[in-house]
Amino acid sequence: MENENKFENFYNIDYGILHVNISELVTAKGDEGFCALSGYSEEELSEGVSLDALFDTDTVMAIKTLADSEEDTSGVLCYEHYLKTKDRRILTVTDFVWINKQENNISAIFYINRPKGALLDNKDIGEITSLKLFDTIISGIPGAVAIYEYKGEDLRIVKASDNYYETLGFKDKTAHSGKVGFMIDKSSNVDMFAKVKQCLTDGKPIVGEYQAKCPDGKTRWFVARAKPFVSQGGSRLIFVVINDITKSKQQENEINKQNKRFELIAKTTSEIYFDYDVLNDVFYLPNNDNYISRYSSRVEHYFGNRKYAEFIHQEDAPKLERALAEAKTGVTSGAIEYRTLAFDDDYTWYKLHYASVSNENGVISNIYGRITSIETEQMLKRRIDSDKKLIERLSERDLITGLYNRHTFKEKAAKYIPAIEDKRCYAIVYSDINDFSYVNENFGYDAGNRMLNDFADCIRETDVLIYSCRIYSDFYVGLYAADTRDKLIKAINKRNENFAELQKDHYPASDINISSGMYFITDKNVDITIAMDNANLARRSIKGSDDVLCGIYSERMRKERLRDQSIASEVKTAMEQGMIELFLQPKFDLVTRDIIGAEALARWRNADGSYKMPYEFIPVLEKVGLIIEFDFYMYEQVLKAFVKWRQEGRRLVPISVNFSRVHSNKDNFVDRVNSLADAYGVDKGLIEVEITESAFVEDVNIMIRYMSKLRDYGFKIDIDDFGIGYSSLSVLLNAPVDIVKVDKVFIDNIATNLLEREYVKQICQLIATTHKEVIFEGVETEEQANFLSSIGYNMAQGWLFDKAIPVKEFEDKYIAI
């Protein structure tokens, strides 16, 4: 009650509160006390009274300066000035002023009508700090508010808000009342203490940051805004507002660390980080010697005036513009690749990663980005593309003629034929050049290659051609179509005649022509291999005939097929009676001429003691589905031989065993191969599972999976007939293969033909990149052996060393006890 009476008495000596709109420099509202002081009504003050009508020019200018300042001037001031009343009286007042520019207003408490220059005494100060007036002053002030008295070297709290104690970490404010205020460690906050002393000396407001250890044990950062004044009794007082800025400091520290990290990155990387100010069209880059010199650290009107267009490749500039336009119209991110002029006036590849951000109004304000050189990646990509084209050519095309190879032709024809919808007549045509060896032997291999190209040109010029390929040597096959059979036959005969006439011009004394066989396709589901075989049978049927240029597959040939079926029906009995025998062809080291292994081959012994060769019965067994049991029969013969040799104490050498492509359709293939080796107790490292190129036709992924499992079990994997009709290079890149067997067709002429020697070198170099071993088949001359050895390949098999021989003969010659 006593405090309330003091307040009333204080109120009676002219005390009032006024709120000012600083943007319009008019009053916003006033309480009864201010109305009594000024003579204006509350309604007049609410409607807005010009500050010029209330205050002296200096005061109005001070307020205007605060309003126009770009700095954050929020805080508390205490000063003395004139107040002009409505009835034109001049009063001298002192006020506490709370400024909050974010809320666009000033709140002031005016008190004590005294002559100018009069000071407050201790009693007045006590009334201010102990009464509700203090609470009124601080009610709209965010932060911790207090009045300090400066005595000696310490600050004593005269009055503080509840928020003051909470901010500084005191649970019990009574325990802290009257004690030292700022809680500043003088040793670590010398500058802040110096500011406080200077504040009291100069009588000017101060703002400062300091660090303090609070009663809760935590060290925090604070910012203090203070205004000094002196009581009539000489007490030096400070009105202060304190805000906890610990989080801001932590964020500032994190930003500084990030900046340090980015600075380190900028100094040690070739990457370019930029900031594009969209609103002002200013492009900023860090200063770094690693960056492209044509960029300055600050480029005005960089994007707006399209300065980049001077050095961006004209093909890439549109996509760069589109990306930037998108980034400037909405929050987005992305990456684009483009070329820019380098120091040598050549274009270099870069990749731009960018992200756009908006300001508080939702307007795109900045685009941040990183520019990275990808020239090395692009060079590698170009090299890979070039190598890929080379590999595709080597694996899909015939090197000499440029026609497809056998595999590519079969693949394309197998897809084309089932999709036939028209009524035209379709046929597979198999051809070869008669007396081709005559040209090679008498005019050389270059002349022979020219002849191969001549026929390839004649094939391309045939208007009924769909696909064609050179199989090997002088053998060609193609898919053709015409309206009728007669037109198709005439077109092929005309093609063959054109070639014969061309060769007559080249070799007048010769009679070189073409033998062709034609198989008409009546079933779209025909197996392309069978169709080719049928056409080949037709070709062979007229081979040597001067009158017929093209043979047609006929019923007679069908009967020959029946003979094949007869062979198939006898094979089981032949295996049971031991008529199918194991022969071994040794493999040799070209340098030492030591035996390094052997290949298991089958021979079918006839009743008269002669033998059927594999090409006579293996294709038949594949067609009728007997090849699986046949292959495992031969595999067991090899395993039995290993057991016998081990028991006899003979030397054990690796043996490769052939398995047909048909096994790719059998889920138990790998387990069966592995379990038989276990059953016989044979070291799996001695067994090379030999897969022909045709095994990959059905399903490459299945075969690769099978080979991987076999290798996991310890077997080695060979690819046979490499390069003959199948794009094996593409398979080698991923296939789990140990040894690649290069077919003899590639080395038949290497002793005399430079082009074929270069071709073999390229093939071997590409194989070497896949980390596979290479062995050559069909080595028949010392010249071939010497050449292969000279280019770094030492494994071979062929008649130069030995033919395939019975097991007994092999034992006596190569692994005798």
Side-chain angles (χ1 to χ4, degrees), residues 665-695:
N665 298 322
K666 301 298 178 180
D667 294 336
N668 66 341
F669 169 62
V670 174
D671 291 337
R672 191 172 177 185
V673 172
N674 185 59
S675 61
L676 279 173
D678 288 338
Y680 283 93
V682 174
D683 181 0
K684 297 165 189 175
L686 294 170
I687 301 171
E688 297 175 7
V689 177
E690 193 163 303
I691 308 294
T692 62
E693 54 86 18
S694 61

Side-chain angles (χ1 to χ4, degrees), residues 59-77:
T59 301
V60 175
M61 289 300 297
I63 296 174
K64 183 173 174 46
T65 300
L66 290 174
D68 294 339
S69 173
E70 295 183 358
E71 298 180 359
D72 179 13
T73 55
S74 298
V76 175
L77 301 177

Side-chain angles (χ1 to χ4, degrees), residues 28 138 176 203 257 267 276 347 349 361 366 376 385 417 429 438 450 529 576 578 609 668 685 696 753 761 790:
I138 67 173
H176 183 64
K257 289 193 290 184
K267 290 181 178 179
Y276 171 46
Y347 283 100
W349 277 98
N361 297 319
N366 295 83
T376 301
D385 289 341
I417 294 172
V429 179
Y438 167 82
R450 285 194 295 271
T529 302
E576 292 171 356
N668 66 341
F696 292 91
N753 190 307
K761 284 183 180 179
S790 71

Side-chain angles (χ1 to χ4, degrees), residues 154-165:
D154 292 327
L155 291 172
R156 183 181 66 82
I157 295 175
V158 177
K159 181 68 175 179
S161 66
D162 292 342
N163 193 29
Y164 174 89
Y165 297 102

